[in-house]
Amino acid sequence: MKSFFNVSKWSPPRILVTGFALIILVGGLLLSMPFASAAGEFTPYIDAVFTATTATCVTGLVTVDTGSHWSVPGQVIIMTLIQLGGLGFMTMSTLFAIVLRKRISLRERLILQEAMNQTSMEGIVRLIRKVILYSLTIEFVGGVLFAIRWSFDMPLGKAIYFGMFHAVSFFNNAGIDLFGQFGVPYISLTQYVNDPLVNIVTMLLIITGGIGFIVMADIMEYRTNKRLSLHSKVVLSMTGTLIAVGTVVIFVFEFSNSKTLGSLDWGGKILASFFQSVTPRTAGANTLDLASLRQATQFFTIILMFIGASPGSTGGGIKTTTFTVLIGAVVAMMRGKEDIVLFRYRLARERIFKALTITMLSLSLVIFVTMVLSTTEDKAFIKILFETTSAFGTVGLTLGITPELSLIGKILISLTMFAGRLGPLTLAYALGPRTEKELYRHPEGKITIG
């Protein structure tokens, strides 16, 4: 018990969990103040904490409309929380340390290794520098492009503000938007369903934020190294496959649905299908009314949200690499192979066990929360499952039930977003006792499988 209160002996996962929790609590306190709301009134603390959680965990589910409920200071707080949550508070701390020319200690490097989901500390500070440079550059370019486009719809100052807010939100895969202030709450990007610039810039921000900083660094250095790591190859190939398959499935399922793709021309159908395939990669923006999608499309979206983004990124879910390992295990078993081989590399058994553990813990969490919410919320099962998976995958897509959640529902979804951002395995390591290596092995036993 003493070691729990001795911060100097805390493990990196415990420090990460505590750091994110403190950011959320402080953010919730600030957002509950009158200056943070457009009406100049106190916001119920549960809604303020929910908003702080969805921003810090870069999810996008909101109980109050961001554009109309919050004042400009409140929106700036939300944008700051998104940036802190997307890049990670340790990354931001490292930025200040680099600016102040302070030395990064071994303990801080261990925490950064855990935060970036790296297997070693080698080159971790160099990677953090690249993460900060790439992120700020991409957000700036995206913000400028958005500002140019929206300057035709609103005053230039507001267009610049909107551009930077949404560039930060979409790159960090938060999906929180401000368009509700134009009279229709929770509207997202539905008014831009046929706009190529808004769609393409948004999708590029989502994809670059979702593939992970390790892959980004690999791509940037490709001209020099002329090679990609196994991790980057797996992430890029699986990301491309999921987006392509998702586009085709959504296009086929929704082609004749007059409430979604049916009313669009061919170009609009393809663009909207592409966008709705990209956004479940933990982004949360949408150009179609999700509640009007057919149930088959909604369930397929749930699968995409559960898979999520890639390791070391701003997104959640079980991650593309975990899904790839699971597929590889199935293929290897069906072919009678002993090893999982990807791009001519054999995977270590510990990687396979970790993928199975993450998947089972994640599936258990989604099932448990869905069962409880099915009791506390008077909503259709598909809507509750959709909401839970969206929270776990830190996606932010909803079928419209978030503002109507009960107190228990808001707390459960907040905890699910928190678990989804940090990862069930990290939480288990943080909350569980330290385990020591066993000095012996039990004799092998045999059971019948299948």
Side-chain angles (χ1 to χ4, degrees):
M1 191 68 171
K2 288 182 180 179
S3 63
F4 182 84
F5 293 101
N6 190 348
V7 179
S8 63
K9 293 184 178 181
W10 280 11
S11 63
R14 184 170 291 175
I15 292 174
L16 285 176
V17 170
T18 306
F20 270 96
L22 287 174
I23 291 172
I24 289 169
L25 293 175
V26 172
L29 183 62
L30 291 173
L31 289 174
S32 67
M33 296 292 108
F35 75 87
S37 72
E41 302 173 349
F42 283 99
T43 298
Y45 191 62
I46 181 62
D47 291 317
V49 168
F50 191 99
T51 303
T53 305
T54 198
T56 307
C57 298
V58 290
T59 304
L61 295 173
V62 290
T63 55
V64 294
D65 181 71
T66 309
S68 56
H69 179 84
W70 304 107
S71 64
V72 172
Q75 293 166 5
V76 171
I77 291 171
I78 291 171
M79 182 168 63
T80 304
L81 291 174
I82 291 171
Q83 191 75 80
L84 281 173
L87 298 184
F89 72 94
M90 279 306 299
T91 303
M92 301 305 290
S93 300
T94 306
L95 170 61
F96 290 118
I98 292 171
V99 171
L100 297 174
R101 298 181 180 276
K102 286 189 175 182
R103 182 177 173 274
I104 311 298
S105 68
L106 176 63
R107 182 171 180 75
E108 289 167 339
R109 290 169 192 263
L110 284 170
I111 300 171
L112 286 169
Q113 177 190 338
E114 179 69 27
M116 298 304 295
N117 206 5
Q118 292 288 283
T119 54
S120 73
M121 287 188 298
E122 185 180 355
I124 191 68
V125 176
R126 187 167 61 252
L127 175 62
I128 295 301
R129 285 197 184 100
K130 292 176 182 176
V131 165
I132 296 167
L133 176 62
Y134 297 159
S135 300
L136 297 180
T137 302
I138 292 171
E139 288 173 353
F140 176 77
V141 173
V144 169
L145 293 173
F146 277 147
I148 293 172
R149 168 61 187 86
W150 288 329
S151 63
F152 293 97
D153 300 338
M154 58 188 78
L156 181 60
K158 193 168 189 176
I160 293 172
Y161 172 62
F162 263 54
M164 296 315 299
F165 183 97
H166 291 92
V168 170
S169 178
F170 295 151
F171 174 74
N172 288 289
N173 281 209
I176 297 175
D177 68 273
L178 302 177
F179 292 102
Q181 64 183 258
F182 294 121
V184 183
Y186 315 109
I187 193 174
S188 192
L189 297 176
T190 51
Q191 59 187 318
Y192 296 104
V193 63
N194 281 311
D195 193 306
L197 180 62
V198 172
N199 277 260
I200 292 171
V201 172
T202 302
M203 286 189 289
L204 287 175
L205 287 169
I206 293 169
I207 293 170
T208 51
I211 59 176
F213 301 115
I214 311 161
V215 179
M216 257 193 280
D218 247 12
I219 293 173
M220 294 296 181
E221 294 175 358
Y222 182 76
R223 294 177 64 180
T224 305
N225 299 335
K226 297 297 181 184
R227 67 182 183 86
L228 293 173
S229 65
L230 174 63
H231 172 82
S232 296
K233 289 178 181 178
V234 170
V235 167
L236 292 173
S237 58
M238 182 52 69
T239 298
T241 300
L242 289 173
I243 291 174
V245 171
T247 302
V248 173
V249 170
I250 292 169
F251 182 85
V252 171
F253 283 176
E254 297 298 319
F255 183 83
S256 58
N257 187 348
S258 60
K259 296 179 181 178
T260 55
L261 297 183
S263 60
L264 304 175
D265 57 25
W266 274 90
K269 284 181 169 66
I270 294 171
L271 189 62
S273 300
F274 192 19
F275 191 95
Q276 259 56 232
S277 177
V278 169
T279 195
R281 317 312 309 290
T282 83
N286 58 284
T287 57
L288 296 177
D289 179 15
L290 299 180
S292 299
L293 295 174
R294 292 191 168 108
Q295 281 199 2
T297 313
Q298 292 173 351
F299 187 73
F300 180 73
T301 303
I302 289 172
I303 297 172
L304 291 179
M305 292 193 297
F306 185 74
I307 297 170
S310 302
S313 72
T314 57
I318 63 170
K319 304 295 192 295
T320 52
T321 48
T322 303
F323 183 65
T324 303
V325 171
L326 295 178
I327 296 296
V330 172
V331 172
M333 180 62 69
M334 292 178 66
R335 290 183 175 180
K337 303 289 185 181
E338 189 173 339
D339 298 319
I340 298 176
V341 179
L342 301 173
F343 296 97
R344 299 183 181 180
Y345 284 93
R346 172 176 56 84
L347 296 186
R349 289 192 179 276
E350 66 176 77
R351 299 288 97 189
I352 303 168
F353 285 138
K354 186 174 183 180
L356 289 170
T357 303
I358 289 172
T359 304
M360 287 306 300
L361 286 174
S362 302
L363 195 58
S364 299
L365 175 64
V366 170
I367 291 172
F368 173 76
V369 174
T370 301
M371 288 175 64
V372 176
L373 288 178
S374 296
T375 305
T376 62
E377 313 301 315
D378 185 21
K379 303 294 179 184
F381 178 76
I382 188 72
K383 291 185 176 182
I384 293 173
L385 179 61
F386 194 100
E387 191 85 2
T388 304
T389 311
S390 179
F392 163 74
T394 67
V395 181
L397 296 177
T398 180
L399 297 182
I401 72 171
T402 314
E404 302 170 6
L405 289 172
S406 64
L407 176 62
I408 295 175
K410 290 176 182 178
I411 293 171
L412 264 179
I413 290 296
S414 295
L415 292 174
T416 306
M417 291 189 289
F418 187 73
R421 177 65 183 95
L422 290 164
L425 204 55
T426 299
L427 280 176
Y429 286 153
L431 301 176
R434 286 189 175 184
T435 56
E436 295 182 1
K437 191 173 183 180
E438 292 182 344
L439 301 177
Y440 60 91
R441 295 181 71 188
H442 292 280
E444 183 178 329
K446 294 182 179 180
I447 60 173
T448 302
I449 303 293

